Amino acid sequence: MTKNTQYDLIVVGSGILGTFHALHALRLGKTVLLTEKDQYPVNATVRNFGQAVVSGMSSDWFNYARRSTELYKEIQQEADISVRNNGTVYLSSDDDETQLLHELKERMNAIDYEANLLSVDDCLAKWPSLKREYCKGGLFFPQEVSVEPNKLIYQLLEYAVAKYPKLTYMPSTAVLDCVVIRDRVEITTANKQVFTAEKAIICNGGEFKLLFTDLFRESGIILSKLQMMKTVPMPEVQLEGNILTGLSIRRYESFQECPSYAGISTPEHYKECQKWGIHILFKKAVDGSIIIGDSHEYADVDHTDDLGFGINSHINELMLEAAQEIVSFDVRKIASTWAGFYPQHDSKHIVEYDIDDRIHIRTAIGGKGMTSSAGYAEASIKKIYS
C-alpha cells in the first residue's frame, strides 16, 4: 500500500495510451500515480499484432504515428521494449490496389516519408513465402517498426518505474470514483484508498462500467471485437516485418485519401471477407510464430457483452482461406486463437472529454493505439498542461 496520497497527476489505465500519458508527464517533472484495474494490462494493448504502421494513418494521426516511432526507437536505445525495425509492406493483388500503391507513394514523396515501390520479383526475393499468383507488387516502408504485443507494455512499465522515481505504479487497483473537489481531483479505489492530484487522465480502454457511465452511454463509442490466430513457430518462413495485403489497402485511412479510392469496386471474392471486416495481415514474432488476422464485429457501449467471448469459427476459416491464397506455408498449423476488443468512434479519431479542466478522458483510439499513442499522448500532455 502506497504511503503517498497526493500527486500532480493520476492516470487511470496502464495500457499503451495511459502509460505514455504518464511517461510524458514524468518527462515534465510531474509526480504521477498510474493505476491499473487488472494485475497487468490484458486488453487491447496486448491483444494485437504489434504493428506500428505510420503509413496507414491519415491527417494529424500520421504525425502522431511518425513521432511515436521516434519515441519507440529512442526508448529502445535505453531499454529493450521489443522494438524491431523490419519495415512495413503493402502487397497489391490487382490493378486497383496497385494504382493505390502508386498514389500513396506520390503522397509520401510529397511529405518526405520514405516509400519504395517493389516489383513482383522484388517482393518474392525479400519474402519468398509469398505466392506469385497473388502478389502484383508492393510498397515498402523500411523505417517502420514492429513490437511484441505480449512484451511491449510490460517492459515499458518496467522501464518507466526504474527510470522515474516520481512514478508510483499500482496494478490490481480498480478506480470506482473520480470527482473534482475544489482545486483537486479525488479518486477512490475499490479497497477504499483515496488519492488526490491536480489533474487526472482517464484512459479506460474498453471499460465503461466503472467510471462516467452516463457520459459513455451518450458518447457514440462502439466496441470492436477482433479475431486473431498464431501459428506454431516457423523460423524457416521468411516473412519479416509488418505484412499487409490487398484487403488492408482497401481499408486503411491513408489509402482512402488517395484520388482513385472512391472509384474502386469490390471484387466478388472479397465481399464475404469485407462483411466481417476482415483484412489479412501477417506478423512474424521473435520465436518464429506468425500472427494472422484479423476481423471486426461491433457493438455500442451498452451492448458490449453481446459480442461474446467465443471465437467464430466461420470467421477464422474465412481468414485462413484468404491467407492461404497469399502465402505458401501451411497457415493451418495454428497454435492459438483469441479475440481482442478495442473501443472506437464512427466520426472521431479519439474521444476526448475535459471536465472542469481537471479530469481529462482520453479513450476510443480505435486500431491506432500501438501505432500512434506515444506521439498523441505527448501532444495531449502538452495541451493539458499548456
Side-chain angles (χ1 to χ4, degrees):
M1 185 175 292
T2 181
K3 293 179 181 178
N4 187 25
T5 60
Q6 298 189 24
Y7 296 85
D8 295 327
L9 175 67
I10 295 169
V11 179
V12 177
S14 71
I16 193 76
L17 190 58
T19 296
F20 268 110
H21 271 90
L23 273 170
H24 289 303
L26 290 160
R27 286 184 167 194
L28 294 179
K30 306 294 183 183
T31 57
V32 178
L33 171 63
L34 175 62
T35 70
E36 169 57 49
K37 67 179 174 60
D38 298 310
Q39 285 177 264
Y40 39 77
V42 295
N43 290 303
T45 294
V46 297
R47 303 190 206 183
N48 63 80
F49 285 84
Q51 297 181 335
V53 285
V54 182
S55 50
M57 300 294 103
S58 64
S59 64
D60 292 343
W61 289 86
F62 177 87
N63 294 322
Y64 294 146
R66 197 170 186 173
R67 176 60 179 148
S68 295
T69 299
E70 292 174 359
L71 289 162
Y72 277 147
K73 291 179 178 178
E74 283 176 20
I75 296 171
Q76 182 67 27
Q77 294 297 310
E78 295 184 56
D80 181 10
I81 57 167
S82 81
V83 176
R84 291 186 290 157
N85 189 181
N86 289 326
T88 296
V89 68
Y90 299 86
L91 303 168
S92 64
S93 66
D94 62 24
D95 290 344
D96 284 342
E97 293 159 10
T98 301
Q99 177 63 26
L100 289 172
L101 292 187
H102 283 267
E103 291 176 6
L104 187 62
K105 160 71 172 167
E106 289 182 13
R107 293 184 62 240
M108 294 302 176
N109 286 349
I111 57 175
D112 194 29
Y113 190 71
E114 184 177 359
N116 303 322
L117 284 166
L118 304 180
S119 68
V120 177
D121 289 339
D122 293 333
C123 292
L124 293 173
K126 189 168 179 60
W127 300 282
S129 299
L130 297 176
K131 286 185 175 178
R132 184 178 289 273
E133 308 91 87
Y134 177 87
C135 184
K136 299 295 182 285
L139 185 62
F140 182 55
F141 296 87
Q143 69 277 41
E144 297 193 351
V145 303
S146 62
V147 300
E148 300 306 294
N150 60 339
K151 296 178 181 177
L152 171 78
I153 193 62
Y154 310 128
Q155 292 169 199
L156 186 64
L157 285 164
E158 284 180 19
Y159 158 80
V161 169
K163 183 177 175 68
Y164 296 101
K166 290 186 175 183
L167 172 64
T168 300
Y169 179 47
M170 293 180 60
S172 300
T173 302
V175 175
L176 301 186
D177 197 22
C178 179
V179 293
V180 176
I181 299 178
R182 293 183 293 279
D183 60 347
R184 304 283 290 177
V185 178
E186 182 178 285
I187 69 162
T188 305
T189 70
N191 63 354
K192 304 297 193 291
Q193 286 181 284
V194 176
F195 301 94
T196 69
E198 293 177 2
K199 292 178 180 288
I201 299 173
I202 313 298
C203 297
N204 51 297
E207 172 53 66
F208 305 112
K209 298 174 182 176
L210 297 180
L211 294 171
F212 305 105
T213 53
D214 290 342
L215 184 151
F216 289 128
R217 189 173 294 116
E218 303 300 323
S219 66
I221 291 173
I222 56 176
L223 196 68
S224 177
K225 177 182 180 180
L226 303 83
Q227 290 186 194
M228 288 159 274
M229 297 169 274
K230 185 162 72 171
T231 69
V232 299
M234 298 179 176
E236 72 283 359
V237 172
Q238 297 179 45
L239 204 65
E240 306 303 329
N242 304 317
I243 312 297
L244 299 93
T245 65
L247 281 163
S248 308
I249 293 170
R250 292 168 177 273
R251 182 178 178 91
Y252 272 33
E253 294 169 1
S254 57
F255 291 101
Q256 292 175 20
E257 294 185 333
C258 291
S260 297
Y261 184 84
I264 66 171
S265 57
T266 301
E268 193 62 35
H269 65 273
Y270 274 160
K271 288 184 178 177
E272 183 68 7
C273 281
Q274 288 193 331
K275 172 185 172 183
W276 296 101
I278 291 170
H279 66 121
I280 302 301
L281 304 90
F282 302 92
K283 157 69 183 310
K284 188 176 180 182
V286 173
D287 68 355
S289 61
I290 296 164
I291 303 175
I292 302 171
D294 55 1
S295 59
H296 298 78
E297 299 172 86
Y298 305 100
D300 64 52
V301 293
D302 268 347
H303 298 90
T304 56
D305 295 331
D306 292 347
L307 289 172
F309 55 81
I311 299 297
N312 183 323
S313 58
H314 174 62
I315 292 175
N316 275 7
E317 181 61 27
L318 287 171
M319 290 193 288
L320 289 170
E321 287 177 2
Q324 198 65 83
E325 295 289 319
I326 300 167
V327 293
S328 57
F329 63 89
D330 186 358
V331 299
R332 294 180 181 276
K333 291 183 177 179
I334 297 298
S336 60
T337 68
W338 67 95
F341 299 84
Y342 64 67
Q344 64 183 66
H345 196 281
D346 277 343
S347 61
K348 300 175 182 177
H349 285 289
I350 190 167
V351 171
E352 302 172 320
Y353 291 105
D354 299 293
I355 302 170
D356 296 332
D357 198 32
R358 295 283 175 189
I359 300 171
H360 306 277
I361 297 171
R362 303 289 184 264
T363 191
I365 197 171
K368 305 183 293 298
M370 197 59 73
T371 298
S372 302
S373 285
Y376 166 78
E378 183 177 52
S380 176
I381 285 290
K382 285 179 181 175
K383 182 180 177 183
I384 287 169
Y385 282 104
S386 62

